[in-house]
Amino acid sequence: MTDALKNDRFLRALRREATDTTPIWVMRQAGRYLPEYRATRERAGSFMGLAQNPEYACEVTLQPLERFELDAAILFSDILTIPDAMGLGLSFAQGEGPQFAHPVRSAADIAKLAVPDMDGELRYVMDAVRLIRRELHGRVPLIGFSGSPWTLACYMVEGHGSKDFATLKTMCWNQPKLAHQLLDTLARAVATYLIAQAAAGAQALMIFDTWGGLLGPAPFREFSLRYMTRIVAALKADPASRDLPVTLFSKGAGQHLAEMADTGCTALGVDWTMDLTDARHAVAGKVALQGNLDPAVMRASPEVIRREARAVMDSYGNHPGHVFNLGHGITPEVDPAHMKVLVDEVHAYGRTLRS
Ligand code: CP3
């Protein structure tokens, strides 16, 4: 049995219901800016050693909640678990980001890809979700997540990180059928993966489309949005995930918010390049919004962090449906004391906004 939820501010805000204050969680809240994360990672030996061990994954998921009054936990894992389970051989070289031993390039490579077994290769993710839910004792809801098909394909075809992911983009122009075949397989894998996380106990779902903003408007619709729309429909059709809020986050894709709001998702993540007043008008009350403090502000003084957090909240205004977050992940050099400044200010100012 899992305990009843004690803090439902995050889920209420996603549903655009009234809350006592603004909920906050932070992308990469379990990560290298925390000394206790670095210590656990040291013990685990490698990033994948950490992510693939449910006890370690649970430990680091809970670490930020011990320090800060965060309103949600996010499963400690990575978006690249799916391609790894597909046999691409993921590793993280020290300080170099992700690397695949076997990137996919040819029609034969793509034809070989299959949806991984959620009770097999990806069982460790579901075990981590179950363990974290148990150890949370209902303190806050647990977010499960996946990469978008487009963003996963970026890494799978390039083989590593890149500024422009030109190899996949070239495939989209020269061999669109092949690109669609890859994205179709990935969309089925992502939907299956998120449904399995929901069945294991995740209480909200998020899709990270980190590289959607690399595409122009028409290619964004064709190669990114189309597949996220399919995934949202699959989640709505399955009893395990039907009632869970789904957040889509396409970084650098502020101009597409109106179309994204029509996918049937619950909320949209917004990066810091867009004003939340404009974002709110773009989505016309169809979805909640999550964001959008510039992560670089976290390196500034506590006074500046407080001021900029209030500015973000003022730009959303006193309306239901705001989940505070950074516009992208927190970076490793941030002082953890600054995170406490942020979380406490968001809660304090959220109360005054409502009074
Ligand atoms: O948000 C959380 O606290 C949950 C954990 C989480 C991680 N990665 C842990 C991680 C989540 C949600 C992700 C998602 C992810 N992973 C994305 C989408 C979100 C985004 O940041 O745009 C992407 C593109 C990846 C791929 C990835 N994983 C990269 C590019 C890197 C290396 C870059 C870096 O920050 O070092 C990773 C590694 C990674 N994933 C780390 C963490 C905490 C750091 C690795 C380490 O500990 O050595």
Side-chain angles (χ1 to χ4, degrees):
M1 269 302 287
T2 42
D3 303 79
L5 196 53
K6 296 180 187 96
N7 171 356
D8 66 350
R9 227 178 244 149
F10 168 67
L11 296 180
R12 290 183 61 87
L14 288 174
R15 290 189 227 109
R16 286 171 286 135
E17 294 167 4
T19 52
D20 59 338
T21 186
T22 305
I24 171 171
W25 73 278
V26 169
M27 290 187 265
R28 294 273 171 100
Q29 65 189 22
R32 285 165 296 178
Y33 75 106
L34 290 178
E36 58 271 34
Y37 169 84
R38 296 195 299 268
T40 310
R41 190 184 180 296
E42 194 71 31
R43 271 193 285 141
S46 65
F47 176 78
M48 287 309 278
L50 181 58
Q52 293 187 328
N53 177 313
E55 279 80 28
Y56 284 146
C58 178
E59 184 180 313
V60 296
T61 299
L62 300 179
Q63 283 170 350
L65 304 178
E66 298 302 326
R67 281 184 182 249
F68 318 114
E69 304 265 321
L70 294 158
D71 297 297
I74 179 160
L75 163 70
F76 188 83
S77 189
D78 198 82
I79 63 165
L80 301 178
T81 51
I82 288 181
D84 183 56
M86 286 174 158
L88 274 67
L90 174 63
S91 64
F92 288 87
Q94 201 67 44
E96 298 218 352
Q99 292 272 350
F100 285 117
H102 313 288
V104 297
R105 294 282 164 80
S106 65
D109 293 339
I110 289 171
K112 267 194 292 195
L113 298 173
V115 174
D117 181 359
M118 303 300 149
D119 287 318
E121 297 95 337
L122 288 170
R123 166 109 200 184
Y124 69 91
V125 177
M126 309 314 150
D127 286 341
V129 171
R130 282 184 280 265
L131 184 60
I132 296 163
R133 263 308 290 281
R134 205 173 75 214
E135 296 300 318
L136 273 172
H137 299 294
R139 268 163 81 180
V140 291
L142 176 63
I143 305 168
F145 70 90
S146 174
S148 71
W150 169 257
T151 294
L152 295 178
C154 281
Y155 288 100
M156 291 168 74
V157 172
E158 199 71 44
H160 46 77
S162 160
K163 279 198 304 290
D164 53 9
F165 292 97
T167 317
L168 175 60
K169 277 187 157 182
T170 306
M171 186 190 287
C172 289
W173 299 122
N174 285 347
Q175 298 162 285
K177 275 202 173 136
L178 197 56
H180 281 300
Q181 191 188 340
L182 171 60
L183 292 165
D184 175 75
T185 303
L186 285 169
R188 286 184 286 112
V190 169
T192 309
Y193 187 54
L194 289 173
I195 290 166
Q197 289 183 40
Q203 292 150 293
L205 299 170
M206 175 152 170
I207 299 176
F208 288 94
D209 185 35
T210 305
W211 302 117
L214 293 177
L215 293 165
F220 176 77
R221 278 178 215 117
E222 181 177 348
F223 296 104
S224 175
L225 188 60
R226 180 200 286 192
Y227 293 96
M228 291 198 286
T229 305
R230 254 190 227 176
I231 294 163
V232 173
L235 297 175
K236 295 293 155 200
D238 193 284
S241 50
R242 179 180 294 159
D243 298 326
L244 267 59
V246 182
T247 302
L248 304 182
F249 174 51
S250 291
K251 188 169 160 281
Q255 59 174 323
H256 304 301
L257 290 177
E259 285 170 273
M260 293 176 74
D262 285 328
T263 57
C265 69
T266 318
L268 295 176
V270 182
D271 72 26
W272 65 95
T273 61
M274 191 162 187
D275 191 280
L276 285 186
T277 307
D278 298 333
R280 217 170 58 75
H281 290 138
V283 303
K286 291 178 191 167
V287 294
L289 295 177
Q290 175 171 285
N292 70 342
L293 184 70
D294 183 341
V297 169
M298 296 304 283
R299 303 160 69 142
S301 68
E303 274 150 61
V304 172
I305 294 170
R306 289 192 197 97
R307 184 189 75 207
E308 294 300 314
R310 291 194 299 269
V312 165
M313 294 166 77
D314 284 335
S315 71
Y316 191 85
N318 184 18
H319 310 279
H322 183 209
V323 174
F324 197 101
N325 206 313
L326 303 184
H328 199 200
I330 189 167
T331 49
E333 71 290 337
V334 171
D335 179 348
H338 287 193
M339 178 80 148
K340 180 163 164 53
V341 167
L342 176 71
V343 173
D344 292 350
E345 183 64 20
V346 168
H347 285 154
Y349 192 61
R351 286 199 170 84
T352 67
L353 259 185
R354 285 161 179 77
S355 63

